[in-house]
Amino acid sequence: METNLAGKTYEVQTEQNGRWTLHASHNVKSQAIQQAQALLDSHKYSGVKVIAESPRKGEEIIFEEKAEVTDKGLTIVPIEESPVCADIADCYRLEARLTIGRLLRQYLDDAGMTAMELAFDFGRLSMLERDDKLYIGALSRLGQIQAKVTGEKPADRQGAIEGFYNQIKDCAQSAMKRSDLLETIRIDGLDALVSKVNAESPEAERHRTILAGLAAFLGEEGDWSAKAGAIIGLLVKEPGIVAQAYADEALAEIFDGAVAVGELLGGVADAAQAQRMLVQLCQGRLPEVKNALSCINELNKTFAKYDLGNAKNALLARVARGIGGIKPLTREGPEGERNAVVNLIRSLEGMSGLMGGPQMAEALTLRAKMALGGPDGDLSTDIAISKVMALLPSLPTRAGFILDLSSTPTGEKQQASLVRMLAQEMGGLNSRAALTGGGDDEKMAKQVVFGLTEKIEKSGLPPDLQKTASATLAKALLVGSAQPQPQKPAAPGQVPNGNRTQPAMEKRWESGPAPAGQAQPAQPAQAVPAAQPAQAAKRGGAEHRKLVKGQILFEEGDPGTEAFVVSSGTIEIYRRGAVEQRLATLGPGELLGELSLIDDQPRVASARAVENTDLIVLSKESLKARLQRLEQSDKVLSRLVDVLVNRLRGVARNDE
């Protein structure tokens, strides 16, 4: 653990039954004192003290207090799911370890260890066995859950689990003799440990033996951040795929617990900021945290460099659990809640749905019911779903969201609505360009189809609909990007009905005004003119604007004062950043920028000419005049236009 500038470390020790044991280590005095006070307030320990240690002064007790033990002891967490282990090898798989971690969360957080570490700690396993409240309670809970799957009597299943526990104890006792495992990983890294075990151990024992070495390595660290930092240190040596997988699993175990995640984040303003930071972190794009008290900045770089799927899923599951509750995400009232939810939805957009899968889709839907409603109360579920959809700018993302939601209890109750929505979205997925958001990137299209196909197979939709959806995707892969078909330009104020390229699924918004949510597949990412003057002329009563190849029509953030119809040529919509991102390519007959004329929102993307291009210009004054005439002649249709614009923008209106 790194020391501070004074070279001091601060150990927090707790007393139970007259025995002092190390609880955690810190390099900041205030953190150690704060934790010591919290441990005293828990009334689990008869005493707590903090020892400062430095090379110059040695050890010095800077805090020590006694307390009355009133806590009745740790209990199991009532989990609802558990994998069924067929043999001892299954007990060491990640899913089983995560299950034990959740079941014994209080115990493990109190001990500051993962389930993997517990599995190779013979002393703690023996002590746990003597704790009837925890041990018998855990066996009973697992037996009840697993018996529903196996068809056995709960008592019989409990007996089988107890048999596995005894085998785990035996393996842990044997692992105590393997100090060479820890020495190898400590000196030469995780790759060296994997190679050593593969060369020396029988195949059936290799996985367990590698975990034993990794558990011993983690056991040397005092707190959760230090454990995560130790794993990150192993990845700095750029291990092979197998070693990366073990590191990924270890991080997933650490971050499956709320205490570890809280320690990672440190102090944050509110739950909304915490969830957003976690989303950015698992994408490897979290802005640097100044004066970080954990390894969060190093972890962010690690996520950016490596594909750590299990660790990412652990953080996203934590986000979903945070969003899925009823406690407010902010202290800023209804408007703050609304903005927080909108930003979270946008930041979670993936290639074929929302990151976090079904759990995230359901959590956001339930949160949207509360946060996107109005003074009259919560939204209905189907309207909440529609509002989430309106914030997702691409067809594959919307289709993936529907498929994920259909496999949840909330989605099961809305199956008829979801079937209609899915049919609408799948109808637009008719080519590789539709799958990728423009262009003919076959590799990307295959990735999108693979992701959506997996969701189809896991969805709660009828088999015949699953089959139809899969066939639609397979057909779309065979259709390359077609050249835009020339169309008769629309008159100013009218929207042409030509085929339009979908906005790219990788587009994300960090903050700021709501972008065009594109509830309809026809609407490209909003962008409009203002930056560089272009040559304009009047022809046939309509203003035309000519652009030369490469000329910028407008830039992201510009005010929306005009809309355009492409008369000839091609316009590229893109977003700037570390890597420029192409969102869509628009050809003759296609419209862009019309929403900004109605709701005065700034442009959320940039546009430039791919080739010499002629545009028909639609001015704000012209459109407003037409809308005023429409309001006078047909108030219902005028209101419908307003509602559709707000839905496309992703703005939740109270009167919808």
Side-chain angles (χ1 to χ4, degrees), residues 14 16 19-24 45 74 100 104 106-132 134-135 165 168-169 172-173 176 215 219 221-222 224 227:
T14 56
Q16 280 184 314
R19 180 182 177 186
W20 289 94
T21 57
L22 174 66
H23 186 87
Y45 307 99
L74 300 171
I100 295 301
L104 299 177
Q106 293 182 17
Y107 176 85
L108 293 173
D109 281 343
D110 188 66
M113 67 192 314
T114 62
M116 175 171 59
E117 293 171 80
L118 175 63
F120 296 98
D121 191 326
F122 177 75
R124 284 194 177 273
L125 289 172
S126 299
M127 290 174 61
L128 180 60
E129 192 174 14
R130 293 193 291 271
D131 187 330
D132 290 342
L134 280 177
Y135 181 68
Y165 189 86
I168 290 172
K169 279 176 54 185
Q173 191 170 27
M176 292 172 60
E221 306 300 333
W224 294 114
K227 290 179 188 294

Side-chain angles (χ1 to χ4, degrees), residues 395-396 398-399 402 418-431 434-435 452 465 468-473 475-476 479 499-500 502 520-522:
L395 281 171
R398 295 197 293 271
I402 295 171
L418 293 180
V419 167
R420 290 194 298 271
M421 293 178 185
L422 182 63
Q424 180 178 352
E425 303 305 326
M426 295 298 292
L429 293 175
N430 51 19
S431 68
L435 291 168
L452 289 176
L465 185 57
T468 300
S470 297
T472 299
L473 294 176
K475 184 177 179 181
V479 181
N499 295 325
R500 293 173 181 164
Q502 297 303 317
Q520 299 174 0

Side-chain angles (χ1 to χ4, degrees), residues 40-270:
L40 278 174
D41 294 341
S42 72
H43 296 286
K44 297 178 181 178
Y45 307 99
S46 56
V48 179
K49 63 183 176 182
V50 177
I51 300 175
E53 183 178 0
S54 68
R56 186 166 59 89
K57 290 188 176 182
E59 293 187 355
E60 176 187 4
I61 297 177
I62 60 172
F63 177 94
E64 182 173 9
E65 287 190 23
K66 299 289 185 177
E68 181 183 359
V69 179
T70 59
D71 186 87
K72 299 301 181 181
L74 300 171
T75 60
I76 65 167
V77 177
I79 62 173
E80 299 298 331
E81 296 179 340
S82 170
V84 177
C85 297
D87 53 38
I88 185 63
D90 288 343
C91 298
Y92 293 96
R93 298 190 187 281
L94 178 62
E95 187 180 7
R97 290 168 10 229
L98 290 175
T99 299
I100 295 301
R102 293 161 189 167
L103 184 70
L104 299 177
R105 177 53 57 201
Q106 293 182 17
Y107 176 85
L108 293 173
D109 281 343
D110 188 66
M113 67 192 314
T114 62
M116 175 171 59
E117 293 171 80
L118 175 63
F120 296 98
D121 191 326
F122 177 75
R124 284 194 177 273
L125 289 172
S126 299
M127 290 174 61
L128 180 60
E129 192 174 14
R130 293 193 291 271
D131 187 330
D132 290 342
K133 189 174 183 179
L134 280 177
Y135 181 68
I136 300 301
L139 289 180
S140 176
R141 187 62 185 168
L142 291 174
Q144 291 174 8
I145 297 173
Q146 294 183 17
K148 295 178 182 178
V149 178
T150 64
E152 300 173 86
K153 294 180 179 180
D156 292 340
R157 189 61 206 166
Q158 182 175 328
I161 297 170
E162 188 166 18
F164 287 138
Y165 189 86
N166 290 328
Q167 292 183 59
I168 290 172
K169 279 176 54 185
D170 292 340
C171 292
Q173 191 170 27
S174 298
M176 292 172 60
K177 306 172 185 177
R178 296 296 305 271
S179 59
D180 58 314
L181 300 177
L182 175 58
E183 196 69 14
T184 299
I185 190 173
R186 184 194 291 155
I187 297 175
D188 298 319
L190 194 48
D191 257 336
L193 176 65
V194 172
S195 298
K196 173 183 175 65
V197 173
N198 285 343
E200 298 176 357
S201 302
E203 184 175 353
E205 299 177 8
R206 290 173 185 171
H207 177 59
R208 182 173 71 236
T209 307
I210 293 171
L211 289 179
L214 191 53
F217 181 73
L218 281 178
E220 292 192 314
E221 306 300 333
D223 57 25
W224 294 114
S225 179
K227 290 179 188 294
I231 298 299
I232 294 169
L234 294 176
L235 288 169
V236 169
K237 299 180 180 180
E238 300 190 5
I241 297 299
V242 175
Q244 286 181 39
Y246 278 99
D248 179 26
E249 289 190 0
L251 288 173
E253 279 199 68
I254 292 170
F255 297 130
D256 197 56
V259 174
V261 172
E263 187 176 310
L264 177 72
L265 291 175
V268 291
D270 52 35

Side-chain angles (χ1 to χ4, degrees), residues 567-591:
S567 179
S568 64
T570 308
I571 291 290
E572 181 179 59
I573 308 297
Y574 65 97
R575 282 178 67 87
R576 293 168 299 176
V579 178
E580 186 176 284
Q581 189 176 20
R582 182 166 63 86
L583 305 179
T585 302
L586 309 179
E590 305 212 60
L591 178 71

